[in-house]
């Protein structure tokens, strides 16, 4: 089993910064790609940023240049540095881990709320 625990959400004014953290526990050797998704009220969940085990990153167009994803494999931690936040970034952010290496379904964290006030 793999468990993901997120932290770092909160309330920030537009233009501010937050850093989200996701710690993985359990069979972490099964983890390949990890990513951050978000879901705003009334909208579908969308991929914000992801990073492969080889440190290849991809981003949602609307966050490019503002958000940075990083990964510490030794500590089994995924980070998302969010700068120049906008009200439209307000959402619940979820950490995700792909366990295809071990032929298992992906796992999700519990989510952390990010609120950006205008």
């Amino acid at each position: 089993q793999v468990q993901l625990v997120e932290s770092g959400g909160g309330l920030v004014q537009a233009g501010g910064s937050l850093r989200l953290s996701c710690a993985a526990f359990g069979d972490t050797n099964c983890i390949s790609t990890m990513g951050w998704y978000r879901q705003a009220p009334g909208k579908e969940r969308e991929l914000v940023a992801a990073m492969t085990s080889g440190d290849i990153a991809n981003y949602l167009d609307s966050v490019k240049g503002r958000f940075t994803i990083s990964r510490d494999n030794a500590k089994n931690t995924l980070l998302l540095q969010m700068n120049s936040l906008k009200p439209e970034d307000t959402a619940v952010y979820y950490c995700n881990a792909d366990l295809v290496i071990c032929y298992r379904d992906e796992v999700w964290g519990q989510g952390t709320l990010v609120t950006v006030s205008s």
Side-chain angles (χ1 to χ4, degrees):
Q1 295 287 350
V2 173
Q3 296 82 39
L4 303 176
V5 179
E6 301 115 332
S7 61
L11 173 64
V12 64
Q13 288 188 332
S17 298
L18 283 174
R19 188 175 78 162
L20 303 183
S21 179
C22 173
F25 302 92
D27 297 332
T28 56
N29 57 299
C30 291
I31 298 175
S32 56
T33 297
M34 295 186 75
W36 290 99
Y37 288 71
R38 68 185 181 189
Q39 187 165 20
K43 295 187 177 182
E44 294 187 353
R45 191 173 296 190
E46 63 181 355
L47 175 64
V48 176
M51 179 168 275
T52 68
S53 56
D55 292 338
I56 297 174
N58 64 283
Y59 295 91
L60 180 69
D61 283 347
S62 62
V63 308
K64 286 180 180 178
R66 300 189 297 122
F67 291 11
T68 303
I69 190 171
S70 61
R71 184 168 173 177
D72 186 336
N73 291 320
K75 296 182 179 180
N76 298 311
T77 301
L78 184 73
L79 302 175
L80 185 68
Q81 179 66 41
M82 305 186 294
N83 299 328
S84 302
L85 282 161
K86 303 176 181 179
E88 51 264 43
D89 294 319
T90 295
V92 178
Y93 284 70
Y94 297 90
C95 181
N96 171 276
D98 183 349
L99 306 182
V100 66
I101 293 175
C102 293
Y103 305 99
R104 299 180 189 173
D105 292 336
E106 61 186 350
V107 292
W108 295 89
Q110 81 282 2
T112 185
L113 177 63
V114 171
T115 303
V116 184
S117 63
S118 56

